[in-house]
Amino acid sequence: MLAAKRKSANTTRKRKPTPQRLRKLLATEWGFWDRGMIRIAGIDEVGRGPLAGPVVAAAVILPRDCWIEGVADSKKLNADRRLDLYQKIIRTALVYGVGAASCREIDRINIRRATALAMQRAIARLGGADHLLVDGLAVPELGTETHTAFVGGDGCVHCISAASIVAKVTRDRLMARLAARYPQYGWERNMGYGTPEHLDALDRLGPTPHHRRSFQPCQFDFADELVTA
């Protein structure tokens, strides 16, 4: 009987937050909605640090007053939870966009500028936004008057958290597909980051076309260039 009661309690739908509670949960967004800016886009990226693969950015515009339970910094969620929330976000969003910059672009223009390029590409898919809320430091390429930066925003600004989940799930899927072509590097597990498994494969096999040659572990030294010339 007790077990049945517990099961019933666990399956009871949680109540929607009160308007006052929503004001607190969406405090940042409300600061802009109150000023007449309705299409507020959360922007975040994933993949600045890996040795392989693109950097991916996502931009998400949620409806006014919309709060999706469980949405948080993607790094604090396990893969199953991220996927569940990803599906809820894309069903709920007014619009969302994803953009990427390739490893070649990263090598050519550097990771900071490539990250800005990925964000620009994601934003271009929105069809317009009243203001952009960006995780981390300000991104000059986005225009200082069109966006506001929040250090740690993926953990405290709802629409940025939503964007972090979309970006993470998208990039993880891409790295899993690349891993099928280059199985020795374990990208389906390490997502291109410099884990011992990945570094060992780099040492044994060298870099692939999807490695960032401007990143130190992927670079050849001068002696290597002479040998391969």
Side-chain angles (χ1 to χ4, degrees):
M1 184 69 173
L2 180 59
K5 287 184 178 180
R6 284 178 178 171
K7 183 177 180 180
S8 176
N10 289 335
T11 57
T12 300
R13 179 177 295 179
K14 295 185 178 181
R15 295 179 180 178
K16 182 179 179 180
T18 64
Q20 294 78 10
R21 177 64 174 154
L22 273 177
R23 277 271 182 174
K24 292 182 179 179
L25 293 169
L26 301 170
T28 301
E29 288 89 340
W30 266 106
F32 293 92
W33 291 335
D34 281 344
R35 292 152 57 190
M37 301 180 189
I38 303 303
R39 288 173 62 87
I40 302 300
I43 316 291
D44 200 10
E45 54 74 27
V46 64
R48 286 177 67 105
L51 307 179
V55 59
V56 174
V60 176
I61 299 179
L62 294 171
R64 180 168 172 160
D65 293 343
C66 176
W67 179 74
I68 302 173
E69 184 180 350
V71 165
D73 178 357
S74 64
K75 297 185 293 294
K76 298 182 179 180
L77 303 169
N78 64 41
D80 289 340
R81 185 60 171 149
R82 276 197 304 266
L83 180 58
D84 178 60
L85 289 167
Y86 167 86
Q87 293 168 340
K88 290 180 180 178
I89 291 164
I90 63 174
R91 287 198 305 264
T92 304
L94 294 176
V95 64
Y96 72 97
V98 175
S102 70
C103 58
R104 291 185 180 181
E105 289 173 317
I106 292 168
D107 289 340
R108 187 172 70 250
I109 63 176
N110 76 44
I111 185 61
R112 189 200 67 77
R113 293 168 63 190
T115 298
L117 180 60
M119 289 181 174
Q120 290 171 324
R121 288 169 173 167
I123 294 164
R125 296 179 179 274
L126 297 179
D130 295 328
H131 200 71
L132 311 173
L133 308 183
V134 180
D135 180 52
L137 301 176
V139 183
E141 291 85 349
L142 301 184
T144 56
E145 295 183 356
T146 61
H147 82 285
T148 302
F150 296 87
V151 175
D154 52 0
C156 62
V157 179
H158 193 62
C159 62
I160 296 178
S161 298
S164 78
I165 292 170
V166 173
K168 174 66 173 168
V169 170
T170 301
R171 188 177 188 279
D172 284 0
R173 286 175 168 175
L174 175 59
M175 294 308 296
R177 290 198 295 270
L178 289 176
R181 296 168 57 186
Y182 302 93
Q184 302 94 333
Y185 298 86
W187 289 340
E188 74 279 15
R189 294 180 293 276
N190 59 53
M191 304 307 164
Y193 284 89
T195 63
E197 174 188 32
H198 190 177
L199 292 173
D200 178 67
L202 262 175
D203 186 56
R204 290 184 292 105
L205 305 170
T208 72
H210 297 283
H211 278 96
R212 303 173 183 181
R213 302 298 289 270
S214 58
F215 280 40
Q216 182 62 44
C218 303
Q219 293 176 336
F220 283 128
D221 61 25
F222 185 63
D224 293 323
E225 295 292 346
L226 289 177
V227 170
T228 58

